[in-house]
Amino acid sequence: MKNIILIGAGSQMTKDHIPTVERRGDLKIVAVIDKDFDKAKQFARIYGAKAYSDIGEIKTFNNIDAAIVCVPHNQYAPICDTLAKNKIATLREKPAAMSSQEMAKTISQFRKYDTYLQVCVQRRFSQIYELVKGLIRNIGKIYSIQASYTMCVSEMSGWRGDRNVMGGGVVIDMGYHMIDLLTYIFGRPDRVYA
């Protein structure tokens, strides 16, 4: 049995990750961390786990094998730093980082402490993209792909409406999905123009 901690108890965690953990017989949730302590307590109670409002409240990371992290984009770096230093294998939601410098530092930390970091993107598991991938064979050779996405950040509510928290709008937030889907469906490109 592997002990895991859940960091962030928002919709992505509750919709995708918790059901996946529940389907597995080899994972045990031992802690739930969320800034909304009542929400953390609610989920912790279900799983017989401990609740925290901040990762800094955990006194010891002994007997914790892995973490799943789903938080606003600007909160990943310090959380991942703590997890790396404690040699906790980590699965985090996209984006990989808010900048290339942040990503380089994060990768360096996980390598230094000899543990794992994986970045999760979930759109490719949608049935529509599975269908598209299957239909591509009928089209033939693909020579060019154009993708566009628009997003009015100023009209969005919650943390996604704050550019400093979401870190880059379309490119980091939704562009990440585009790149993942394009490489999933079509494979790695020969050339990219942006």
Side-chain angles (χ1 to χ4, degrees), residues 33-52:
I33 303 167
D34 195 277
K35 286 187 183 272
D36 181 342
F37 188 58
D38 289 334
K39 191 182 274 188
K41 285 193 299 188
Q42 172 191 344
F43 284 104
R45 198 173 308 119
I46 293 169
Y47 301 104
K50 293 183 179 176
Y52 302 95

Side-chain angles (χ1 to χ4, degrees), residues 148-180:
S148 62
Y149 208 115
T150 57
M151 193 173 179
C152 186
V153 174
S154 63
E155 293 178 8
M156 297 180 82
S157 62
W159 65 266
R160 277 207 156 87
D162 183 337
R163 288 181 193 272
N164 296 322
V165 175
M166 77 179 304
V170 170
V171 174
I172 285 186
D173 202 4
M174 298 306 161
Y176 213 94
H177 288 299
M178 273 193 238
I179 292 167
D180 175 61

Side-chain angles (χ1 to χ4, degrees), residues 84-142:
K85 286 177 181 174
N86 286 281
K87 298 185 177 193
I88 306 295
T90 302
L91 173 67
R92 66 173 274 179
E93 278 290 325
K94 64 90 183 156
M98 298 269 284
S99 67
S100 58
Q101 295 84 5
E102 182 181 293
M103 190 71 247
K105 182 179 178 201
T106 298
I107 289 171
S108 172
Q109 286 291 86
F110 277 84
R111 283 184 177 156
K112 177 180 176 181
Y113 293 102
D114 193 30
T115 192
Y116 300 94
L117 171 67
Q118 293 184 332
V119 179
C120 177
V121 285
Q122 71 282 0
R123 297 262 166 96
R124 66 171 55 189
F125 299 105
S126 170
Q127 290 179 347
I128 188 80
Y129 298 113
E130 286 292 321
L131 178 63
V132 168
K133 189 171 182 174
L135 292 173
I136 291 302
R137 292 183 213 115
N138 299 331
I139 295 174
K141 186 167 176 74
I142 306 294

